[in-house]
Amino acid sequence: MSGIRVILWKEMVDYFGSKRFLILFIIICLTGISVAYLASQNLGSFAHIPGEFLLLGFFISSAGSLPSFTFFVSFFGPLIGLILGFDAISGERSRGTISMVLSQPVFRDSLINGKFLAGLATIAVMFVSIFLIILGLGIWTLGFSPNLEEISRIGVYYLASVVYVGFWLSLGILFSILFRRTSSSALTSIMMWIFFTFFIYMIANVVADQIAPVAAVTTPEVVAKNEAIRRMILRISPAALFDQIATAVLNPSVRAFGFINPAQISGLLPTPLSLGQSLMIVWPEFVGLVALMLICFAVSYVVFMRQEIRSL
Amino acid sequence: MEWVVEANQLKKVYNGVKAVDGMDLRIKEGEIFGFLGPNGAGKTTTILMLLGLTEPTSGEVKVFGYNSTKNPLEVKRITGYLPENIGFYEDLTARENLIYITKLNGIPPSESAARVEEVLSVVGLSEVADKEAGKFSRGMLQRLGMAATLVKQPKLVILDEPTLGIDPEGVEQILNLIRKMKEEKNITILLSSHFLHQVQRICDRIGIVSQGKIVIEGSVDEVGEKIMGEGGTQIQVQVSQLTPGLLDSIKEIEGVRDIDVSGNFLNIRCDRDLRLEVSRAIVEKGCFPLLFKTQDYTLEEIYVRYFRER
């Protein structure tokens, strides 16, 4: 792993010193503060949240016209990852620094590993600060300290957020390897973002309705099938996976997703689930999200290692 | 004899195109070897294989005894490489860029500051060391690139087209630097270029590359003789005017091979020094020579001649 630490460190210094990071950071902090502040002004919207989890309300309640914090993360988080990743390699190429770095005694993968880890670390730090801002404001408004269950739920959600944005980071890096030009890489990244956050929902609906059309009079089986197909298609979208994780982890009263037969829940006590139980609901989604990030990075890694240096 | 660089039957095929095709390259310790050839002859590809940055399709290459393909890290530790389009991190200063390189080379921080100062003064950039590299001119970047190769205290330096796109003064500085590297630090240098007149002045040996292999190798004089044939001389004459029959009467002189005419300049290639006979012929035809000189072949002519004959 020769040189990886040097590259990692330099990339992190670069990220934290760059203007785009500063702008992103300011936007994110403002978002966090305003979301938390509006939530605190609108504590009535916390009514559906079990009493011992009030703090989680700051992450999921949408106050007035402003959407919730989880929505912000799932919607704009990808942009953070893509902005950090889209010129990782193509930028080095166009500046001519890649041959300078690779002619030093470092392994070729140190460069891509260093860049990915530096990006991930940047994301992690960014999210720590915004989570702390919201938590701080939340504790200050509510006036009591968080309990362990709340903290661990927020911790899991934090982890999922970093992985989610990490997926987009590695997607950005992949495009920066595939395309020679930074602008093509940026445009393709944005296209993927639009596809996975908007179009995938429409496609899922259309396909599900084609295969199992739900009419005015249909059997529950058809409705269940329709829902199952829709959810199946949505599983390839990291945004959909992340949304489900966020919902289950931050809302302890969520017990299941998709089609539920009334018979299944009759006689159920509406008590909140423990974190372990909540995690069990979204375990496949969680694993899927981590896998998406790792697969995407692995593809970038292989492509980068196999690329001829002349075409770099 | 121990070779610094030793390549045997190196081959590289890119997408079915033979970029390097049976390259044999040997470089002695402490010499400046000129690697000459037109664009696309396979010079850069060979260099990349020397550094282990790309894998040869077949054949092997050793640098100071290390196999470049199997042990690229060792090769890169002792080899400084100045790529054709060198770039530096634009928002870092010249000094910071060099410090980064020392870190990548694992040079301890206690030592790196002094080394960086030294190479900056060698290349004459001490005064702009704290300027951002993004504000450097092409010539300054190239000198910073030379500093980057020197900072790791290499035994071999590979320079790929180091004078490309640089003004004449900058070229002069770079050529002097290359000579200084060889003379003061005894660094072996592989210099790839297609600017022959520049290379001619500083190279100990040259190799002409064509279609992926070295076709002729040796000192500039040796290569000249091999291509131009032995004993050839060239006479350049400027005549007052071109009178009819002048060219014919010169051609009739025994030993004249051929004549090129441009304006009132005559380039006469002949077996030996025929200045006396030529001037007699000129005077007999009613004009007089304004300028008269014999020329040794320049590398440029050797080169042009070689590729014209292909």
Side-chain angles (χ1 to χ4, degrees):
Chain A
M1 280 297 150
S2 176
I4 186 165
R5 217 182 307 146
V6 177
I7 292 173
L8 172 70
W9 191 247
K10 163 173 188 298
E11 290 300 324
M12 276 185 68
V13 170
D14 272 7
Y15 276 139
F16 283 103
S18 66
K19 285 196 190 75
R20 64 178 127 155
F21 174 80
L22 195 73
I23 293 168
L24 269 181
F25 195 70
I26 290 173
I27 292 175
I28 285 178
C29 285
L30 286 179
T31 316
I33 293 170
S34 55
V35 165
Y37 176 76
L38 285 173
S40 69
Q41 297 301 301
N42 202 358
L43 288 175
S45 67
F46 287 21
H48 65 286
I49 301 164
E52 62 266 46
F53 296 108
L54 272 186
L55 203 54
L56 298 179
F58 286 90
F59 290 89
I60 51 172
S61 85
S62 45
S65 55
L66 208 66
S68 68
F69 177 70
T70 51
F71 174 81
F72 270 110
V73 174
S74 88
F75 200 72
F76 294 112
L79 284 183
I80 300 175
L82 292 175
I83 285 173
L84 292 179
F86 79 97
D87 70 341
I89 300 295
S90 60
E92 296 267 341
R93 241 184 252 150
S94 60
R95 280 175 300 182
T97 44
I98 194 161
S99 44
M100 195 263 285
V101 171
L102 291 182
S103 65
Q104 309 306 328
V106 294
F107 289 118
R108 198 195 276 203
D109 57 353
S110 299
L111 185 65
I112 185 164
N113 290 343
K115 287 210 170 242
F116 178 66
L117 291 178
L120 214 54
T122 309
I123 293 166
V125 170
M126 234 186 236
F127 274 92
V128 162
S129 33
I130 184 169
F131 272 59
L132 287 181
I133 289 175
I134 296 176
L135 264 180
L137 268 170
I139 293 169
W140 182 63
T141 326
L142 292 177
F144 51 77
S145 55
N147 56 42
L148 190 65
E149 181 80 8
E150 278 174 323
I151 290 294
S152 33
R153 277 179 185 272
I154 290 169
V156 171
Y157 174 63
Y158 167 77
L159 212 65
S161 310
V162 172
V163 172
Y164 173 60
V165 178
F167 163 79
W168 293 97
L169 170 76
S170 61
L171 193 71
I173 292 180
L174 176 62
F175 290 137
S176 83
I177 292 169
L178 289 177
F179 297 104
R180 289 193 69 82
R181 289 161 52 130
T182 303
S183 52
S184 332
S185 159
L187 282 175
T188 318
S189 304
I190 298 286
M191 255 170 53
M192 291 303 276
W193 174 61
I194 292 175
F195 177 80
F196 276 133
T197 40
F198 297 96
F199 288 113
I200 190 91
Y201 290 94
M202 299 181 209
I203 292 172
N205 285 339
V206 169
V207 173
D209 288 345
Q210 277 298 319
I211 297 175
V214 179
V217 190
T218 34
T219 56
E221 285 75 20
V222 175
V223 178
K225 193 179 174 197
N226 181 297
E227 181 65 16
I229 292 167
R230 214 178 66 85
R231 277 166 46 83
M232 182 102 89
I233 294 170
L234 284 182
R235 277 205 188 105
I236 63 164
S237 162
L241 294 181
F242 177 71
D243 279 341
Q244 286 194 1
I245 296 171
T247 312
V249 169
L250 291 180
N251 195 342
S253 44
V254 170
R255 289 170 173 274
F257 288 101
F259 183 78
I260 301 168
N261 198 316
Q264 285 175 285
I265 50 168
S266 72
L268 205 71
L269 290 174
T271 48
L273 295 180
S274 70
L275 175 59
Q277 297 295 315
S278 287
L279 268 179
M280 273 204 348
I281 302 171
V282 285
W283 199 239
E285 280 78 9
F286 209 108
V287 173
L289 197 60
V290 174
L292 274 177
M293 176 181 84
L294 291 182
I295 289 169
C296 194
F297 179 68
V299 171
S300 338
Y301 183 93
V302 170
V303 172
F304 182 68
M305 294 302 280
R306 295 179 67 95
Q307 228 167 22
E308 283 291 350
I309 200 101
R310 289 230 77 164
S311 52
L312 280 179
Chain B
M1 159 122 216
E2 188 66 24
W3 300 100
V4 167
V5 175
E6 196 179 355
N8 291 317
Q9 284 299 306
L10 217 49
K11 284 197 179 115
K12 179 73 189 180
V13 181
Y14 280 120
N15 306 325
V17 181
K18 285 178 185 162
V20 174
D21 188 12
M23 174 80 71
D24 285 310
L25 177 65
R26 271 164 191 70
I27 300 176
K28 275 183 270 187
E29 182 148 18
E31 73 175 349
I32 302 183
F33 186 88
F35 208 38
L36 310 173
N39 294 330
K43 289 173 294 177
T44 304
T45 310
T46 309
I47 289 173
L48 292 176
M49 288 191 283
L50 283 184
L51 286 163
L53 289 175
T54 190
E55 274 185 34
T57 310
S58 71
E60 68 162 16
V61 56
K62 280 184 179 165
V63 176
F64 283 98
Y66 295 112
N67 185 316
S68 299
T69 316
K70 291 178 188 145
N71 210 344
L73 245 44
E74 285 305 321
V75 171
K76 289 194 274 189
R77 195 159 283 141
I78 51 176
T79 307
Y81 170 49
L82 178 65
E84 191 174 338
N85 288 310
I86 181 77
F88 287 94
Y89 292 103
E90 288 170 2
D91 39 2
L92 298 186
T93 65
R95 181 181 281 123
E96 285 166 345
N97 267 298
L98 292 178
I99 295 265
Y100 183 47
I101 291 173
T102 63
K103 282 185 190 161
L104 287 174
N105 278 280
I107 297 165
S110 54
E111 210 179 310
S112 70
R115 278 206 203 183
V116 168
E117 289 316 314
E118 190 206 328
V119 295
L120 278 170
S121 78
V122 169
V123 299
L125 289 175
S126 296
E127 279 166 26
V128 286
D130 291 314
K131 210 168 137 182
E132 283 163 14
K135 292 179 183 147
F136 275 25
S137 70
R138 177 94 179 101
M140 285 157 89
L141 275 180
Q142 205 71 10
R143 277 190 282 153
L144 184 56
M146 302 278 275
T149 64
L150 286 174
V151 78
K152 58 163 102 164
Q153 299 184 340
K155 294 196 210 163
L156 168 71
V157 166
I158 298 175
L159 306 166
D160 197 354
E161 299 281 3
T163 55
L164 195 68
I166 292 179
D167 58 34
E169 198 192 340
V171 168
E172 202 57 40
Q173 287 170 334
I174 283 176
L175 293 180
N176 285 335
L177 255 172
I178 296 174
R179 209 173 308 168
K180 227 159 84 181
M181 275 157 76
K182 178 205 163 182
E183 283 164 7
E184 291 175 12
K185 312 212 160 158
N186 194 33
I187 297 173
T188 311
I189 293 161
L190 171 63
L191 176 66
S192 130
S193 182
H194 61 262
F195 293 105
L196 307 160
H197 53 283
Q198 299 168 354
V199 169
Q200 185 169 19
R201 286 164 33 205
I202 58 167
C203 284
D204 299 316
R205 276 193 324 132
I206 56 169
I208 294 187
V209 188
S210 172
Q211 291 168 345
K213 54 174 164 272
I214 290 191
V215 285
I216 297 172
E217 193 179 345
S219 68
V220 175
D221 291 340
E222 288 167 14
V223 170
E225 275 175 20
K226 276 183 203 162
I227 296 181
M228 297 305 207
E230 306 229 4
T233 315
Q234 178 162 317
I235 303 171
Q236 193 182 41
V237 195
Q238 188 187 11
V239 292
S240 55
Q241 64 191 100
L242 271 178
T243 51
L246 174 62
L247 293 181
D248 289 335
S249 69
I250 293 176
K251 266 181 199 157
E252 280 163 17
I253 299 169
E254 201 198 319
V256 171
R257 291 178 191 166
D258 62 81
I259 309 179
D260 275 346
V261 185
S262 60
N264 57 351
F265 278 92
L266 310 176
N267 274 313
I268 306 163
R269 272 183 286 277
C270 38
D271 294 340
R272 61 205 145 83
D273 190 351
L274 293 172
R275 269 181 291 184
L276 182 65
E277 289 81 352
V278 171
S279 53
R280 192 176 292 141
I282 293 171
V283 174
E284 274 170 9
K285 288 291 168 191
C287 50
F288 54 92
L290 296 173
L291 183 140
F292 223 126
K293 60 176 183 184
T294 59
Q295 261 184 345
D296 294 327
Y297 292 115
T298 66
L299 193 48
E300 198 119 18
E301 286 164 308
I302 296 173
Y303 188 75
V304 168
R305 171 65 80 87
Y306 179 79
F307 285 103
R308 193 190 288 156
E309 279 168 6
R310 294 286 101 182

